[in-house]
Amino acid sequence: MANPEYQDTLDVLDKLSVCFYRLGISLFAFSLFLLGLNFLHRMPQTGVSLHSSIVIAFISSIICAANIHVYSKVIRFVIQWSTWVSAILIVADYHWQFWWLTLGFIFVTFSGIALKESFCFRVIGLKTIPLFLAPSVLLIFFQWFEIAGILLLLSGVIFTFLSLAKWRMPLHFDIGIKNNYEI
């Protein structure tokens, strides 16, 4: 967690993990825009399909889950394992019948990340991310794609602000105090 008064020494792996984590957040913001536009039927000219958008969101969740820095073992477990459940669903759901459920577990990962980041940084709307992503899964399930598209675009805007804020701050802010991590 961010602690500007304290700066731990970062090795190469620490710096890489922070950069990958931030890359995952940026990639997820991009995937939210793709998904939102896809649901609003404004994507035919770009050739990016719904499946490709979900795969981009999935890849971003893997990148973030593998490189997240959270002191609490329980919170880290929930965030990481929701990504691995989505991986199982992607592999097991060969015909993409339950893609909305896969997306739901990806959204659990990023709702956790948004709440984690809201404790450290004052990004406008960050605490509302779970309130946008959770209903969007239900809206997708009930095939109310236009409303889900609007919620996903709003989430994309918020995650874009988070991404920009993360890339501007020093790397040590993401790591915090190494001794405080529960192993």
Side-chain angles (χ1 to χ4, degrees), residues 99-108 132-143 148 151-152:
W99 59 270
W100 56 272
L101 188 58
T102 302
L103 208 51
F105 279 101
I106 293 168
F107 289 172
V108 168
F132 290 158
L133 294 181
S136 68
V137 175
L138 289 174
L139 291 167
I140 291 167
F141 176 75
F142 291 115
Q143 297 183 358
L151 290 176
L152 293 174

Side-chain angles (χ1 to χ4, degrees), residues 19-39:
C19 289
F20 275 118
Y21 176 72
R22 293 176 181 185
L23 174 68
I25 289 174
S26 301
L27 193 60
F28 184 65
F30 176 68
S31 73
L32 286 173
F33 284 117
L34 291 178
L35 285 166
L37 292 174
N38 209 324
F39 290 139

Side-chain angles (χ1 to χ4, degrees), residues 47-163:
V48 177
S49 71
L50 176 65
H51 294 106
S52 299
S53 304
I54 294 170
V55 168
I56 293 169
F58 173 66
I59 290 169
S60 67
S61 71
I62 288 176
I63 293 170
C64 283
N67 294 293
I68 193 163
H69 301 97
V70 179
Y71 292 146
S72 171
K73 186 181 348 181
V74 173
I75 294 172
R76 193 170 51 244
F77 176 85
V78 170
I79 290 172
Q80 290 175 332
W81 275 94
S82 60
T83 292
W84 303 128
V85 170
S86 71
I88 292 168
L89 289 170
I90 280 184
V91 171
D93 189 19
Y94 180 74
H95 297 290
W96 287 79
Q97 294 174 339
F98 300 103
W99 59 270
W100 56 272
L101 188 58
T102 302
L103 208 51
F105 279 101
I106 293 168
F107 289 172
V108 168
T109 297
F110 282 100
S111 292
I113 288 171
L115 290 176
K116 170 221 181 259
E117 295 296 342
S118 72
F119 288 113
C120 303
F121 310 106
R122 287 179 174 74
V123 174
I124 295 172
L126 201 53
K127 290 183 181 180
T128 63
I129 287 292
L131 301 175
F132 290 158
L133 294 181
S136 68
V137 175
L138 289 174
L139 291 167
I140 291 167
F141 176 75
F142 291 115
Q143 297 183 358
W144 295 348
F145 296 122
E146 291 80 15
I147 301 170
I150 292 168
L151 290 176
L152 293 174
L153 287 175
L154 288 172
S155 299
V157 168
I158 295 168
F159 262 96
T160 299
F161 285 130
L162 173 63
S163 174

